[in-house]
Structures are given as structure tokens and as C-alpha cells.
Amino acid sequence: MDTLNELLNGFAAAMTWQNLLFAFLGCLLGTIIGVLPGIGPVAGVALLIPLTLNLDATGAIIMLCAIFYGTAYGGTITSVLLNTPGEAASAITTIDGYAMTKIGKAGAALTIAAVGSFVGGTVATIGLVAAAKPLGELGLLVGPPEFFALMVVGISLLVALAGKSMVKAVISGALGLLIAMVGIDPVAGAPRFTFGMDRLLDGVSFVAVIVGVFGLSELLSYRKDTATPTVHAPNLRSLLPTRGEWRRSAPAMARGTGIGFGLGLIPGMTGSVSSLLAYGAEKKFSRHRHELGKGAIEGVAGPETANNSHANAALIPLFTLGIPASPTIAVLMGAFLQQGLTPGPTLFTEHSEIAWAIIASLFIGNLLLLLLNVPLVGLWTSILRVPSSILTALILLFMVIGAYTINFSVFDVFVMIGFGLLGLALRHLDIPLAPMVLTLVLGPLMERSLRESLEISQGDFSIFTSRPISAVLIGLGLLIVFSPLLKLRKPKALNEDPET
Amino acid sequence: MTTKSVTTAPKSTVRVAPSVLAGIGAFAAVGAYVLVTSIDLGLWTSLGPGPGLFPFAMGAVLVAMAVVWLLQELRRPSETAEGVDLGLVIAVVLSLVILAAVMDLIGFQLGMFLFLMYHLKLRGRRGWPSSVITALAGSFGAFYAFNYGLNVSLPVSAFPLLNTIGL
């Protein structure tokens, strides 16, 4: 009952005209970012942080959350209409979504995707409401050793799932931690890796690093100026799916919601894994599985529901435990910290009104996106008609403003340029960027909890193994990291496969 | 396929790409630098872990991973990634560096206008009307939107003459 009351209070706060406006603007900007192929959700959210600098904490986080899940909707539009995913989680949708476009059913595909996204997002938010109190209370039992162990698990998962090479993922994670260590040491107060520069005493600006590594490096890695695509927006009449399509989509949405929700809770799992598994589930369980790949509505409904369910469920570890489950959530966590809010169990005790207003806004935002997406498909597709040279110039403009306004210093613009080049080098070397951004956010918290733990135990490392929760978590982290060694026991024939 | 080709192990003729070697070397060098610097910072104090402990561990991880990666590359070189468009990289990076260098001197509006004109007219080969309109909106328009709409200050010129005319 308490939870319901707090949620209702949250709705009252989220439904002030200012907060509704912020949610609306966030949805709008998020959809645009999702549509634009040149910029991903991580850089997109980071780029737009300056817009929220002068807002109150509630409004700022409401807007950034709306941008975050708006990108998941936007990515679908280009997948369906252009066979080009706006973001990775929508990649699998291209198969049946584009096939539907070719047979004149683009409108139905987009509507089902929007409804599925709404369903998945809303169910996951209900899960967040249900989990907030119990997980938050559990989180209060967590001391520095458990907190450190929890982050070890989170980072281990991200490293293990980050890509083809675990070595490269570890390098990426270590780089993020080293960048996070630039500045004043959080315990002793000694300057570290500042190279005598006063500007680095406060550390490297998180937003400048993210915009450089994810945004600028993406632009720099373009092979050639892409031609403006020819887009034909579907007319309004074709937006309505048939009764049969609704009937076929419902079970796919249910499966997608479950898969996305379950995987969204696991740090390191990306939305693309959820949508890929949801597609796999349709291939296995759908009554029309033989039509998949040829324009089956299930191939759109399942993955699109899963990736939005995933995006919203991924907020649960952030809100309750303070663990970002993905790079975009890590950027969101950075925005929380910038607003003076520490995500985790204390969020519900120290800033209860703000936390519940943000949760309530997730329901509102999902509804706003549904209302925005279906009738405005024509508008979103017109963004794709803007020539690439203009888009590139405008994205660069926002990058400069984004980097500059964090500290109102051109130094951060140089930092952004430097990290753009680093990001380009990492992409060229096929080093995943996700572990880097996660450790960049978690680094200071992780170091502080490690050092606090060792100070409590007077330097005895057994503090991590003598406490049950941290011992289990550390064991789990080690198991995740060393599980690839089990592959050595596989038959030789399997080892010859480069994919194994 | 001949019998010989099936029975003898294929010899890899692929060499480790120079860019990969350079990357491995760079990571190893950064790791080694961090290792050495961390010792100076202090690994342990009377109160417990020192400021250098965590960086020391990360430096060691970086060096170790660089070595493992090198061994992996020597055993089976990874496929070389596609090269970058060097012209694009130089044009974008250089224009950004110049913009950042002059922004505090000539102000955001003028600096960004010239930056956008370069990318739209010279690099993008857009027509004059669309270049000028977009550059005006992105420089003067963005300045007013951020300064007065969002209360986020963008830099004005350090030159009194430019400053007095609102730039």
C-alpha cells in the first residue's frame, strides 16, 4: 500500500506541466537520436545532458530517461523503412520489418513495433515498482565489501559479454578505470595522473569523454559520405494492422516482454541480446515460424517488445542497487551524480519524491512515445531526408556545445577531440567501448568501496571472503571471468571453429 | 583440395598488422607508465591502501593483457580492420581544434558560423543559401537559444570591438 501511495505521489509530481513538457521533449529528442544512423543512444544521451544543466533534478532526470527509452523507439523506424537499424537493439527487426515494407505493410509493422514497445516498457516499469522496495531494503544491508563485490560482478558480466575477445574487453575496462582515476584521490586527497595541470584536478569530464569516444569517433569512422536515402513514408491508412496481425502479435509481445525483462536485469546484457533471443523464441514457438524472414509480424513484435522491456528493466539495478547495466544507463548514472543524486538504495530513503516521480514518468513517457510514434511516422522519416553533410555539421555543433557547457571551458572540447581519436583507434583495433564507459562511471565508487573495506579490515583482504554476500558475489565474478577457460576441455574439433 | 593440403597444418602467411602491434605497444607502455607512477603515489599507508594501489593493479592488468593479446596475435593474427578516411579525420579534427582554440577569442557565434560554413560549403559542397541559413541557425540561433532559453552561457568574444556588437 505504501508503494502505491508513493507511486501516486510520484504521478502527481510527474504530471505537473513542466515535467510533462520535459518528458515530451525527451521522447521527441530520443526518437530523433534513434532515427539518426550517425549517433548512438550513449552519445545521444550524453550530448543532451547540457540541455538539462539548469533544470531541477526531477525534471532533468525525467527528460534524460525519456531520451534514453525514446532512442529504442526511434531505432525501429529506420530498421523497418530503410533496412538500416538506427541502433543495435533494432538490428534484428530489419529482417521482417523491411520485408513487410517491401510488401506494403510498413505502417502495420511500425504500429505493432510501437505498441509492443509500449507494452514491454510498461510491464518492465511495473516490475521496477514491485522490485523497488524489497531490493532497496536488501541494498541497505550492503556494506563497502558487498558493494565492491557487486560491482566486480557487474563489470565481470560486461567484460564477459562484451564481444569476441575477453582480453580486449579487459583492456577497455582497465582504460576506463584509469581515466576515472585522473584527479584528486578520493580518500587521501593526493593528485593522480594530472600531469601538473590544474584543470585535471577535478578529473576528466565524463560527458566530454563519452561524447568523444562514442559520438565523435563514430563520425570519424565514416568511410564515405553516405547518400541521402530515398524514404517513402507510409500513409495513415496503412498504419493500422489487421485483426489477424494483432492476434499473431499478442503472444510474441508476451514472450518478448518476459525475455527483455529477465535479461534487462543482468548487468552487461545489451538490448540487442534480448531482441535476438526474442527473435529466436519466435522461430521456435510461433505458429507462423515458417513465415519468419519473409515479413512475419511476429518478427517485429517479439524483438521490439523485448528491447523496450529490456531498456526499462535495466533501470531496476540502477535504481535499487546503483549498478548501471549498460553503457547508456552508465551515462544516465553520470547525470544522476551530476544532479547530486546517488542511484541505489539510499535514493529511496534520501530522495524518495524524486525517485517515485521519475518512476511515474516512465509510465507517462511510454504512453507519450506511443502517441508520438504512430501518427508522426511521416515526420520521423523526413529527418532521414536531411542531407548527411548538414546532419554531420549539426551533430558536430551539438558535440562542441555538449563538451563546452559541462564546465564552461574549451579545455573540455579538447578533451572531447582527444577521446574521439582514442575511440577511433579502439574501434579500428576492434576493442569494445562498452566496458570502458561502465568502468569510467563505476571506477571511483569501486575504488572507494575497496579502500573503505580494506581500512575496516586493516588491510586484510579476507574481508571479501569472510562475509557471506560478498563471498558469493566475488565467487560469481570469478566464475564469469574464468568460465571461458572451460572451453579448453571442449573437443578439438570445436576449438578449431574460430567462433568458439 | 589436394591430400597434402588436408594432411599438413596450414601455415599462416598472415602477419600481425602494424596498427595492431602499435596498439598493443601503446597499451603496454601506458600500463608500464601507470605501474611506475603508482609506486611513487604510494601503494600502502599506515591507514591502509594508498592512492597508488588501485592504479597499480590496473597498470598491471593492462600490461598483462597487452602481453596476452600479443601472444594471441602471434598465434593467429586477427583480420585487419578497414582503414579510416584519413581526409575526413584530418578535416574534422583540425577544424575542431581550430574552433576550440579561437572560441574564447572570437566568441561562439563567429567561430561556430565559420566552422559550420567550412563543413557545409567547402566540405559538404552545399549551396550558398542552405549553407548560410544552417550556419546562422547553428551559430547565432544556438547562442540565443542556449543563453536566453536555457540559461546556459556560451562564450563571447574577448575582443572589445566584437563584444560590443554582441559577438
Side-chain angles (χ1 to χ4, degrees):
Chain A
M1 199 60 199
D2 269 359
T3 303
L4 191 64
N5 278 337
E6 281 174 302
L7 181 63
L8 288 174
N9 288 336
F11 268 106
M15 288 182 78
T16 60
W17 73 267
Q18 292 99 327
N19 287 340
L20 281 175
L21 181 69
F22 295 141
F24 173 79
L25 281 175
C27 292
L28 199 71
L29 293 169
T31 308
I32 293 170
I33 288 166
V35 168
L36 292 176
I39 189 149
V42 189
V45 175
L47 265 179
L48 297 173
I49 285 178
L51 294 180
T52 65
L53 277 182
N54 279 10
L55 304 180
D56 67 303
T58 313
I61 302 296
I62 283 177
M63 189 164 158
L64 290 169
C65 284
I67 292 168
F68 161 61
Y69 48 77
T71 55
Y73 278 77
T76 311
I77 295 169
T78 49
S79 294
V80 171
L81 296 180
L82 290 173
N83 203 21
T84 309
E87 39 104 33
S90 296
I92 196 79
T93 311
T94 54
I95 299 173
D96 284 275
Y98 190 61
M100 285 184 76
T101 297
K102 285 200 284 191
I103 54 172
K105 302 284 288 176
L110 287 169
T111 303
I112 289 290
V115 173
S117 299
F118 170 73
V119 170
T122 305
V123 171
T125 310
I126 292 170
L128 171 58
V129 172
K133 277 272 170 186
L135 274 178
E137 281 163 14
L138 185 72
L140 287 174
L141 301 173
V142 169
E146 289 81 9
F147 194 67
F148 174 75
L150 198 61
M151 278 184 273
V152 168
V153 174
I155 290 174
S156 306
L157 272 167
L158 197 78
V159 164
L161 300 168
K164 288 172 273 183
S165 164
M166 189 183 269
V167 170
K168 290 180 180 178
V170 174
I171 286 175
S172 175
L175 276 180
L177 281 166
L178 286 175
I179 296 162
M181 279 170 218
V182 173
I184 297 279
D185 152 51
V187 180
R192 293 186 300 192
F193 309 114
T194 57
F195 308 102
M197 295 163 90
D198 290 348
R199 290 177 190 276
L200 287 176
L201 287 175
D202 288 336
V204 184
S205 165
F206 171 73
V207 174
V209 173
I210 299 301
V211 170
V213 168
F214 281 87
L216 182 58
S217 72
E218 174 85 40
L219 281 187
L220 295 178
S221 57
Y222 280 174
R223 291 286 300 145
K224 57 180 187 288
D225 279 348
T226 44
T228 307
T230 311
V231 188
H232 301 289
N235 61 42
L236 270 178
R237 273 182 65 193
S238 73
L239 287 175
L240 291 176
T242 62
R243 194 176 292 179
E245 283 168 337
W246 282 116
R247 227 185 350 253
R248 285 172 57 171
S249 300
M253 286 182 193
R255 285 188 281 267
T257 302
I259 291 168
F261 186 80
L263 296 182
L265 297 173
I266 304 171
M269 279 285 175
T270 58
S272 38
V273 176
S274 283
S275 44
L276 202 68
L277 282 182
Y279 193 81
E282 292 316 304
K283 274 195 143 177
K284 201 169 174 67
F285 299 113
S286 170
R287 288 169 65 185
H288 304 272
R289 63 180 87 93
H290 54 280
E291 290 176 30
L292 280 165
K294 299 170 197 157
I297 195 74
E298 292 90 342
V300 175
E304 283 306 313
T305 308
N307 71 37
N308 257 66
S309 176
H310 183 112
N312 285 264
L315 292 171
I316 296 176
L318 177 75
F319 273 74
T320 55
L321 300 168
I323 300 290
S326 71
T328 323
I329 304 261
V331 176
L332 260 185
M333 184 169 170
F336 268 83
L337 296 172
Q338 224 155 25
Q339 291 285 347
L341 305 169
T342 308
T346 52
L347 186 70
F348 287 93
T349 50
E350 289 170 13
H351 302 283
S352 172
E353 307 84 34
I354 298 177
W356 285 104
I358 294 166
I359 292 173
S361 82
L362 300 180
F363 288 103
I364 297 166
N366 273 298
L367 186 64
L368 279 174
L369 277 169
L370 180 66
L371 298 175
L372 269 174
N373 269 257
V374 179
L376 296 183
V377 161
L379 175 71
W380 306 128
T381 52
S382 67
I383 292 168
L384 290 162
R385 294 196 193 99
V386 178
S388 61
S389 55
I390 293 182
L391 279 179
T392 306
L394 293 179
I395 290 169
L396 285 170
L397 160 79
F398 265 90
M399 283 176 185
V400 172
I401 294 177
Y404 176 83
T405 48
I406 294 304
N407 291 313
F408 298 100
S409 157
V410 287
F411 179 75
D412 288 329
V413 181
F414 284 113
V415 170
M416 186 261 291
I417 299 166
F419 278 93
L421 289 170
L422 175 68
L424 183 68
L426 296 180
R427 282 174 198 271
H428 183 73
L429 294 169
D430 203 19
I431 293 176
L433 303 175
M436 187 179 178
V437 64
L438 196 76
T439 51
L440 189 60
V441 174
L442 290 184
L445 303 173
M446 197 175 173
E447 184 185 11
R448 182 171 295 184
S449 56
L450 171 73
R451 289 172 69 178
E452 280 175 359
S453 304
L454 290 174
E455 279 172 15
I456 292 167
S457 69
Q458 294 177 320
D460 185 357
F461 280 87
S462 69
I463 190 170
F464 298 110
T465 49
S466 59
R467 294 165 69 125
I469 298 176
S470 65
V472 170
L473 291 172
I474 292 276
L476 191 63
L478 290 174
L479 190 71
I480 294 163
V481 170
F482 291 108
S483 59
L485 293 179
L486 299 175
K487 285 182 182 173
L488 293 175
R489 293 182 185 177
K490 283 184 179 178
K492 205 179 173 187
L494 273 178
N495 281 337
E496 282 166 3
D497 181 354
E499 291 301 314
T500 55
Chain B
M1 196 182 280
T2 63
T3 316
K4 194 181 174 189
S5 70
V6 173
T7 50
T8 50
K11 274 189 179 175
S12 174
T13 52
V14 189
R15 283 187 179 175
V16 183
S19 59
V20 173
L21 278 179
I24 293 171
F27 291 128
V30 171
Y33 169 77
V34 172
L35 269 176
V36 174
T37 316
S38 304
I39 296 168
D40 292 340
L41 285 168
L43 300 182
W44 208 265
T45 68
S46 55
L47 295 170
L53 182 72
F54 208 60
F56 183 82
M58 287 308 110
V61 166
L62 210 51
V63 171
M65 289 302 116
V67 172
V68 175
W69 186 11
L70 179 65
L71 293 175
Q72 286 179 344
E73 286 292 332
L74 292 174
R75 242 182 86 205
R76 183 183 288 176
S78 54
E79 282 175 32
T80 320
E82 277 185 33
V84 293
D85 182 345
L86 210 59
L88 172 84
V89 174
I90 291 170
V92 171
V93 171
L94 205 62
S95 62
L96 279 171
V97 167
I98 293 170
L99 174 68
V102 301
M103 207 156 70
D104 276 339
L105 286 175
I106 63 170
F108 173 84
Q109 296 166 91
L110 196 55
M112 186 54 78
F113 178 78
L114 296 172
F115 175 82
L116 290 175
M117 282 301 288
Y118 166 70
H119 281 281
L120 294 164
K121 186 73 198 110
L122 290 181
R123 279 201 58 247
R125 296 177 195 283
R126 312 284 321 152
W128 279 106
S130 76
S131 298
V132 172
I133 290 169
T134 312
L136 281 174
S139 53
F140 295 88
F143 181 84
Y144 281 92
F146 272 85
N147 263 28
Y148 302 109
L150 296 164
N151 271 337
V152 175
S153 306
L154 293 170
V156 288
S157 173
F159 294 121
L161 182 67
L162 292 176
N163 204 309
T164 48
I165 57 169
L167 293 175

mmCIF file of all heavy atoms in Angstrom, chain A residues 60-87:
data_model
loop_
_atom_site.group_PDB
_atom_site.id
_atom_site.type_symbol
_atom_site.label_atom_id
_atom_site.label_comp_id
_atom_site.label_asym_id
_atom_site.label_seq_id
_atom_site.Cartn_x
_atom_site.Cartn_y
_atom_site.Cartn_z
ATOM 1 N N ALA A 60 15.286 17.175 -14.896
ATOM 2 C CA ALA A 60 16.449 16.774 -15.688
ATOM 3 C C ALA A 60 16.471 15.258 -15.905
ATOM 4 O O ALA A 60 16.666 14.781 -17.035
ATOM 5 C CB ALA A 60 17.729 17.212 -14.979
ATOM 6 N N ILE A 61 16.245 14.495 -14.833
ATOM 7 C CA ILE A 61 16.322 13.033 -14.973
ATOM 8 C C ILE A 61 15.115 12.509 -15.766
ATOM 9 O O ILE A 61 15.257 11.578 -16.566
ATOM 10 C CB ILE A 61 16.414 12.351 -13.589
ATOM 11 C CG1 ILE A 61 17.633 12.870 -12.813
ATOM 12 C CG2 ILE A 61 16.485 10.839 -13.727
ATOM 13 C CD1 ILE A 61 18.994 12.571 -13.425
ATOM 14 N N ILE A 62 13.952 13.121 -15.578
ATOM 15 C CA ILE A 62 12.773 12.717 -16.367
ATOM 16 C C ILE A 62 13.089 12.875 -17.855
ATOM 17 O O ILE A 62 12.833 11.988 -18.662
ATOM 18 C CB ILE A 62 11.527 13.558 -15.973
ATOM 19 C CG1 ILE A 62 10.966 13.050 -14.638
ATOM 20 C CG2 ILE A 62 10.457 13.524 -17.064
ATOM 21 C CD1 ILE A 62 9.780 13.846 -14.110
ATOM 22 N N MET A 63 13.677 14.006 -18.209
ATOM 23 C CA MET A 63 13.979 14.269 -19.620
ATOM 24 C C MET A 63 15.023 13.287 -20.146
ATOM 25 O O MET A 63 14.875 12.741 -21.246
ATOM 26 C CB MET A 63 14.479 15.702 -19.777
ATOM 27 C CG MET A 63 14.618 16.131 -21.215
ATOM 28 S SD MET A 63 14.734 17.910 -21.299
ATOM 29 C CE MET A 63 15.529 18.115 -22.852
ATOM 30 N N LEU A 64 16.073 13.043 -19.355
ATOM 31 C CA LEU A 64 17.128 12.139 -19.827
ATOM 32 C C LEU A 64 16.626 10.693 -19.937
ATOM 33 O O LEU A 64 16.999 9.974 -20.866
ATOM 34 C CB LEU A 64 18.353 12.223 -18.917
ATOM 35 C CG LEU A 64 19.130 13.544 -19.031
ATOM 36 C CD1 LEU A 64 20.163 13.660 -17.924
ATOM 37 C CD2 LEU A 64 19.798 13.659 -20.396
ATOM 38 N N CYS A 65 15.768 10.284 -18.991
ATOM 39 C CA CYS A 65 15.193 8.925 -19.096
ATOM 40 C C CYS A 65 14.336 8.820 -20.359
ATOM 41 O O CYS A 65 14.369 7.803 -21.059
ATOM 42 C CB CYS A 65 14.331 8.603 -17.876
ATOM 43 S SG CYS A 65 15.279 8.207 -16.417
ATOM 44 N N ALA A 66 13.572 9.879 -20.640
ATOM 45 C CA ALA A 66 12.714 9.859 -21.832
ATOM 46 C C ALA A 66 13.568 9.797 -23.100
ATOM 47 O O ALA A 66 13.225 9.088 -24.055
ATOM 48 C CB ALA A 66 11.819 11.090 -21.852
ATOM 49 N N ILE A 67 14.692 10.510 -23.091
ATOM 50 C CA ILE A 67 15.600 10.440 -24.248
ATOM 51 C C ILE A 67 16.100 9.009 -24.391
ATOM 52 O O ILE A 67 16.139 8.453 -25.491
ATOM 53 C CB ILE A 67 16.807 11.401 -24.053
ATOM 54 C CG1 ILE A 67 16.352 12.852 -24.110
ATOM 55 C CG2 ILE A 67 17.877 11.149 -25.121
ATOM 56 C CD1 ILE A 67 17.411 13.852 -23.654
ATOM 57 N N PHE A 68 16.451 8.407 -23.245
ATOM 58 C CA PHE A 68 17.005 7.048 -23.240
ATOM 59 C C PHE A 68 16.037 6.044 -23.871
ATOM 60 O O PHE A 68 16.394 5.322 -24.805
ATOM 61 C CB PHE A 68 17.355 6.664 -21.792
ATOM 62 C CG PHE A 68 17.514 5.204 -21.552
ATOM 63 C CD1 PHE A 68 18.476 4.471 -22.223
ATOM 64 C CD2 PHE A 68 16.696 4.543 -20.648
ATOM 65 C CE1 PHE A 68 18.619 3.108 -21.992
ATOM 66 C CE2 PHE A 68 16.839 3.195 -20.415
ATOM 67 C CZ PHE A 68 17.792 2.471 -21.093
ATOM 68 N N TYR A 69 14.774 5.992 -23.392
ATOM 69 C CA TYR A 69 13.921 4.973 -23.992
ATOM 70 C C TYR A 69 13.311 5.424 -25.315
ATOM 71 O O TYR A 69 12.826 4.618 -26.086
ATOM 72 C CB TYR A 69 12.882 4.397 -23.017
ATOM 73 C CG TYR A 69 12.092 5.388 -22.224
ATOM 74 C CD1 TYR A 69 11.043 6.087 -22.781
ATOM 75 C CD2 TYR A 69 12.374 5.603 -20.880
ATOM 76 C CE1 TYR A 69 10.304 6.979 -22.036
ATOM 77 C CE2 TYR A 69 11.654 6.499 -20.127
ATOM 78 C CZ TYR A 69 10.624 7.186 -20.711
ATOM 79 O OH TYR A 69 9.899 8.084 -19.973
ATOM 80 N N GLY A 70 13.354 6.733 -25.571
ATOM 81 C CA GLY A 70 12.914 7.221 -26.886
ATOM 82 C C GLY A 70 13.822 6.703 -27.998
ATOM 83 O O GLY A 70 13.358 6.425 -29.104
ATOM 84 N N THR A 71 15.110 6.560 -27.695
ATOM 85 C CA THR A 71 16.044 6.077 -28.721
ATOM 86 C C THR A 71 15.696 4.649 -29.156
ATOM 87 O O THR A 71 15.878 4.282 -30.310
ATOM 88 C CB THR A 71 17.505 6.084 -28.222
ATOM 89 O OG1 THR A 71 17.579 5.334 -27.031
ATOM 90 C CG2 THR A 71 18.014 7.479 -27.991
ATOM 91 N N ALA A 72 15.167 3.859 -28.189
ATOM 92 C CA ALA A 72 14.807 2.480 -28.527
ATOM 93 C C ALA A 72 13.659 2.469 -29.543
ATOM 94 O O ALA A 72 13.614 1.620 -30.434
ATOM 95 C CB ALA A 72 14.420 1.716 -27.267
ATOM 96 N N TYR A 73 12.717 3.444 -29.434
ATOM 97 C CA TYR A 73 11.625 3.520 -30.403
ATOM 98 C C TYR A 73 12.160 4.000 -31.763
ATOM 99 O O TYR A 73 11.812 3.473 -32.798
ATOM 100 C CB TYR A 73 10.578 4.544 -29.954
ATOM 101 C CG TYR A 73 9.568 4.074 -28.940
ATOM 102 C CD1 TYR A 73 9.904 3.940 -27.610
ATOM 103 C CD2 TYR A 73 8.254 3.823 -29.322
ATOM 104 C CE1 TYR A 73 8.971 3.562 -26.672
ATOM 105 C CE2 TYR A 73 7.307 3.437 -28.387
ATOM 106 C CZ TYR A 73 7.668 3.305 -27.057
ATOM 107 O OH TYR A 73 6.752 2.933 -26.130
ATOM 108 N N GLY A 74 12.965 5.043 -31.700
ATOM 109 C CA GLY A 74 13.433 5.664 -32.933
ATOM 110 C C GLY A 74 14.214 4.710 -33.823
ATOM 111 O O GLY A 74 14.096 4.756 -35.052
ATOM 112 N N GLY A 75 15.010 3.849 -33.187
ATOM 113 C CA GLY A 75 15.838 2.918 -33.951
ATOM 114 C C GLY A 75 15.018 1.987 -34.831
ATOM 115 O O GLY A 75 15.485 1.523 -35.878
ATOM 116 N N THR A 76 13.782 1.744 -34.421
ATOM 117 C CA THR A 76 12.920 0.834 -35.169
ATOM 118 C C THR A 76 12.535 1.401 -36.535
ATOM 119 O O THR A 76 12.423 0.671 -37.519
ATOM 120 C CB THR A 76 11.619 0.592 -34.371
ATOM 121 O OG1 THR A 76 11.981 0.258 -33.051
ATOM 122 C CG2 THR A 76 10.785 -0.500 -34.979
ATOM 123 N N ILE A 77 12.332 2.705 -36.569
ATOM 124 C CA ILE A 77 11.792 3.329 -37.783
ATOM 125 C C ILE A 77 12.711 3.090 -38.983
ATOM 126 O O ILE A 77 12.264 2.682 -40.054
ATOM 127 C CB ILE A 77 11.560 4.838 -37.532
ATOM 128 C CG1 ILE A 77 10.472 4.985 -36.463
ATOM 129 C CG2 ILE A 77 11.153 5.559 -38.809
ATOM 130 C CD1 ILE A 77 10.310 6.380 -35.906
ATOM 131 N N THR A 78 14.012 3.315 -38.773
ATOM 132 C CA THR A 78 14.934 3.114 -39.896
ATOM 133 C C THR A 78 15.109 1.624 -40.210
ATOM 134 O O THR A 78 15.341 1.252 -41.353
ATOM 135 C CB THR A 78 16.311 3.726 -39.597
ATOM 136 O OG1 THR A 78 16.722 3.294 -38.316
ATOM 137 C CG2 THR A 78 16.271 5.230 -39.644
ATOM 138 N N SER A 79 14.980 0.781 -39.173
ATOM 139 C CA SER A 79 15.088 -0.666 -39.418
ATOM 140 C C SER A 79 13.989 -1.117 -40.370
ATOM 141 O O SER A 79 14.229 -1.877 -41.303
ATOM 142 C CB SER A 79 14.931 -1.443 -38.109
ATOM 143 O OG SER A 79 15.979 -1.170 -37.262
ATOM 144 N N VAL A 80 12.780 -0.638 -40.120
ATOM 145 C CA VAL A 80 11.627 -1.066 -40.910
ATOM 146 C C VAL A 80 11.632 -0.421 -42.298
ATOM 147 O O VAL A 80 11.444 -1.090 -43.308
ATOM 148 C CB VAL A 80 10.314 -0.744 -40.152
ATOM 149 C CG1 VAL A 80 9.094 -0.982 -41.046
ATOM 150 C CG2 VAL A 80 10.219 -1.576 -38.884
ATOM 151 N N LEU A 81 11.895 0.890 -42.347
ATOM 152 C CA LEU A 81 11.740 1.595 -43.622
ATOM 153 C C LEU A 81 12.973 1.543 -44.522
ATOM 154 O O LEU A 81 12.862 1.630 -45.735
ATOM 155 C CB LEU A 81 11.375 3.058 -43.367
ATOM 156 C CG LEU A 81 10.030 3.310 -42.676
ATOM 157 C CD1 LEU A 81 9.819 4.793 -42.496
ATOM 158 C CD2 LEU A 81 8.875 2.713 -43.470
ATOM 159 N N LEU A 82 14.144 1.411 -43.901
ATOM 160 C CA LEU A 82 15.371 1.539 -44.703
ATOM 161 C C LEU A 82 16.279 0.326 -44.656
ATOM 162 O O LEU A 82 17.339 0.328 -45.270
ATOM 163 C CB LEU A 82 16.197 2.727 -44.185
ATOM 164 C CG LEU A 82 15.661 4.108 -44.430
ATOM 165 C CD1 LEU A 82 16.514 5.111 -43.706
ATOM 166 C CD2 LEU A 82 15.668 4.398 -45.911
ATOM 167 N N ASN A 83 15.899 -0.666 -43.858
ATOM 168 C CA ASN A 83 16.754 -1.838 -43.685
ATOM 169 C C ASN A 83 18.070 -1.462 -42.996
ATOM 170 O O ASN A 83 19.073 -2.141 -43.130
ATOM 171 C CB ASN A 83 17.046 -2.482 -45.054
ATOM 172 C CG ASN A 83 17.435 -3.934 -44.930
ATOM 173 O OD1 ASN A 83 17.135 -4.571 -43.919
ATOM 174 N ND2 ASN A 83 18.101 -4.462 -45.929
ATOM 175 N N THR A 84 18.052 -0.322 -42.278
ATOM 176 C CA THR A 84 19.251 0.163 -41.575
ATOM 177 C C THR A 84 18.863 0.456 -40.138
ATOM 178 O O THR A 84 18.096 1.379 -39.890
ATOM 179 C CB THR A 84 19.771 1.483 -42.215
ATOM 180 O OG1 THR A 84 19.886 1.275 -43.607
ATOM 181 C CG2 THR A 84 21.078 1.919 -41.621
ATOM 182 N N PRO A 85 19.367 -0.313 -39.175
ATOM 183 C CA PRO A 85 18.967 -0.038 -37.794
ATOM 184 C C PRO A 85 19.554 1.259 -37.268
ATOM 185 O O PRO A 85 20.735 1.535 -37.470
ATOM 186 C CB PRO A 85 19.526 -1.242 -37.018
ATOM 187 C CG PRO A 85 20.583 -1.812 -37.880
ATOM 188 C CD PRO A 85 20.279 -1.461 -39.298
ATOM 189 N N GLY A 86 18.718 2.080 -36.619
ATOM 190 C CA GLY A 86 19.197 3.330 -36.017
ATOM 191 C C GLY A 86 20.087 3.034 -34.821
ATOM 192 O O GLY A 86 20.958 3.798 -34.482
ATOM 193 N N GLU A 87 19.843 1.915 -34.147
ATOM 194 C CA GLU A 87 20.697 1.480 -33.030
ATOM 195 C C GLU A 87 20.688 -0.043 -32.997
ATOM 196 O O GLU A 87 19.798 -0.685 -33.560
ATOM 197 C CB GLU A 87 20.265 2.113 -31.704
ATOM 198 C CG GLU A 87 18.775 2.240 -31.493
ATOM 199 C CD GLU A 87 18.224 1.217 -30.550
ATOM 200 O OE1 GLU A 87 18.951 0.840 -29.637
ATOM 201 O OE2 GLU A 87 17.094 0.781 -30.753
#
